[in-house]
Amino acid sequence: MEDESRLLAENAALKKKIAYLEAVIEAHHVAKFEDNVNRLKLSVRTGFKQISSELSVMEHDPKNAERVMDLVDFVQHYADELQQFIYKK
């Protein structure tokens, strides 16, 4: 009987440790995801600032308008790809 009580107590302690470790792992993944999202935002913002200064002094040329539309399409493609990660219930 005493062994059974001890085993139940050990089992409960192990379950508690497992729950704690699962929470730590989940928090780590969330933190890493947030870090990656923030890095991506910073990279996009930096790239856009660099190109927008060039675009603002760009001469009027139909080919430039085509290049800008290509860039818009490129960005839209990746925005559409990001949509796949929105999980709908």
Side-chain angles (χ1 to χ4, degrees):
M1 193 69 156
E2 196 173 299
D3 285 342
E4 189 177 327
S5 294
R6 185 181 54 78
L7 288 174
L8 288 173
E10 286 177 7
N11 191 25
L14 286 173
K15 284 182 179 180
K16 207 171 172 182
K17 286 179 183 180
I18 289 171
Y20 171 77
L21 290 173
E22 286 173 340
V24 167
I25 290 168
E26 176 120 357
H28 173 71
H29 286 300
V30 169
K32 186 173 173 127
F33 177 77
E34 287 298 321
D35 291 344
N36 288 335
V37 167
N38 289 334
R39 274 195 298 268
L40 178 60
K41 285 180 178 180
L42 179 62
S43 178
V44 168
R45 188 178 310 120
T46 301
F48 186 75
K49 282 182 181 180
Q50 289 173 344
I51 192 121
S52 65
S53 64
E54 293 175 24
L55 291 174
S56 64
V57 295
M58 180 172 66
E59 62 191 56
H60 178 69
D61 182 349
K63 286 186 179 186
N64 289 339
E66 289 174 26
R67 290 185 190 122
V68 171
M69 285 309 299
D70 284 344
L71 182 58
V72 169
D73 290 342
F74 176 81
V75 171
Q76 185 61 52
H77 168 76
Y78 284 101
D80 292 343
E81 279 199 16
L82 281 173
Q83 294 287 329
Q84 73 177 324
F85 299 107
I86 299 174
Y87 298 105
K88 297 174 176 80
K89 293 182 180 180

